[in-house]
Amino acid sequence: MGLNLLGASAVLFALTFLPPDNSLAEVEKSGVLRVCVPPSMPPLVTNDSAMPGFDIELLGLIAEELGVRLVVNHNAAIGADFNPRNWGITRAQCQIIAGGVVANESTRGFLELLPTGIKTGWAMTDAADTLSHADTRAAVFPGPTALDRLALSRYLRSKKIRILPASSVQNLVDLLQRGEADILISDRQTLTSLNLPSSSVHWVSEADLGTFDLSIGLWKGDATLLRAVKKSSQNLHQLGVAGRLATRYNVHVDANLRP
């Protein structure tokens, strides 16, 4: 007992030497909240100034509550690699990363995550039983979300599905319209944003590939900024502001997942 108390006292004493967390104070002093997002990930991030995206507008409201201005930095590396450590983002570029941050073990390794209430995962534009046909031709666009592409490839090859890599969202649609592909596969947000006629969006396989919560990410150790952003986000959801925003962008927010 005496040793335990001595150990706890030693830890508390050591904590007094840690540098203070000035993350919120620094944002307030600069008057700017910087966020890094991919160039485009509808409906979370768009190139439309009138409808800039769900994440952009939500963070704009959070910045407004904090009394600062939101500055958006676009970074094409976000989501380009399954491992977020390879995105090359630094604290100097932004305090928050958004626009398709997947809550998985790899992301949690270097970011504190606040869920937005939106889920994503590998999705397809047809009924799930389509994959039971070994001759199905699937056009695949990885999208800007950091989902496990190797896991998807292994799954489709196990089903003997023919994979047609798409270089862009437009190429994905072209392959379907030219009749070269039977179905489209990408992350759920990308497929939903296409609004293809006579087509609905389904998970490829929740059991095998899983689904994931989308979040905004803050740097580990930025405790004061994290608390302030979380409190503001909770207020926006409780007041119904975030819900109205979700309706405008046609995204489903799970009440059990929101902050």
Side-chain angles (χ1 to χ4, degrees):
M1 183 65 146
L3 288 175
N4 288 339
L5 285 174
L6 184 61
S9 299
V11 170
L12 291 174
F13 180 72
L15 288 175
T16 62
F17 290 94
L18 291 175
D21 172 21
N22 295 322
S23 54
L24 177 60
E26 289 173 358
V27 168
E28 291 173 336
K29 182 180 178 181
S30 67
V32 170
L33 179 65
R34 300 184 186 278
V35 56
C36 288
V37 296
S40 177
M41 187 185 174
L44 307 180
V45 178
T46 79
N47 296 315
D48 183 351
S49 59
M51 292 276 286
F54 176 83
D55 278 10
I56 299 297
E57 288 210 43
L58 186 65
L59 286 168
L61 293 169
I62 289 173
E64 190 174 306
E65 283 206 355
L66 297 180
V68 298
R69 178 170 59 91
L70 183 71
V71 171
V72 179
N73 292 322
H74 293 100
N75 187 322
I78 296 177
D81 190 286
F82 178 61
N83 185 352
R85 294 180 189 277
N86 295 334
W87 296 352
I89 299 173
T90 66
R91 287 174 181 268
Q93 296 170 323
C94 49
Q95 292 95 11
I96 293 178
I97 304 171
V101 176
V102 176
N104 56 27
E105 185 177 348
S106 180
T107 310
R108 290 191 189 93
F110 81 120
L111 290 177
E112 296 287 355
L113 301 176
L114 287 179
T116 59
I118 303 172
K119 295 185 79 68
T120 194
W122 291 116
M124 54 190 288
T125 57
D126 211 330
D129 62 359
T130 303
L131 296 180
S132 63
H133 305 294
D135 57 347
T136 296
R137 301 164 301 174
V140 179
F141 178 64
T145 306
L147 298 174
D148 191 339
R149 300 167 191 189
L150 293 177
L152 174 67
S153 178
R154 286 194 296 269
Y155 177 78
L156 294 178
R157 294 183 191 284
S158 73
K159 298 287 185 182
K160 301 188 184 307
I161 303 300
R162 182 181 171 192
I163 301 173
L164 304 174
S167 58
S168 65
V169 173
Q170 186 57 53
N171 184 217
L172 189 72
V173 176
D174 290 344
L175 287 169
L176 182 68
Q177 293 179 338
R178 291 200 300 261
E180 297 176 32
D182 301 307
I183 60 171
L184 306 182
I185 294 179
S186 188
D187 67 279
R188 188 177 183 88
Q189 308 308 320
T190 295
L191 291 188
T192 302
S193 68
L194 295 178
N195 292 318
L196 293 172
S198 305
S199 181
S200 55
V201 176
H202 306 264
W203 299 119
V204 173
S205 172
E206 287 189 74
D208 293 286
L209 299 174
T211 59
F212 304 91
D213 302 333
L214 285 174
S215 303
I216 60 174
L218 289 83
W219 300 108
K220 283 189 176 296
D222 289 357
T224 52
L225 180 60
L226 176 67
R227 282 197 294 271
V229 171
K230 184 175 183 178
K231 181 180 179 182
S232 176
S233 182
Q234 288 172 334
N235 287 341
L236 292 170
H237 279 89
Q238 289 170 359
L239 293 173
V241 177
R244 290 192 289 276
L245 200 59
T247 300
R248 194 152 70 87
Y249 281 97
N250 192 30
V251 295
H252 173 71
V253 174
D254 189 331
N256 296 320
L257 297 176
R258 68 190 192 189

